[in-house]
Amino acid sequence: MNAVFLLESLAPMPRVELMAAGNELAETLEKYSPGADISVRTPG
């Protein structure tokens, strides 16, 4: 099974908060899906 999560933000949300939300999502996925291959990419 594959899944893609795309997080976007609107102003005035700072980039650092967007990255924190992505990291929190990844941590939660790891907690509930042990062994899952999870990648977090920084927006370019």
Side-chain angles (χ1 to χ4, degrees):
M1 176 183 294
N2 294 318
V4 175
F5 293 87
L6 175 65
L7 299 180
E8 296 182 300
S9 66
L10 298 173
M13 183 179 204
R15 185 180 187 128
V16 68
E17 288 183 18
L18 178 62
M19 293 304 301
N23 290 332
E24 184 177 341
L25 174 60
E27 289 172 5
T28 302
L29 290 170
E30 289 172 345
K31 178 180 176 182
Y32 290 105
S33 301
D37 182 18
I38 298 172
S39 298
V40 177
R41 297 184 185 166
T42 304

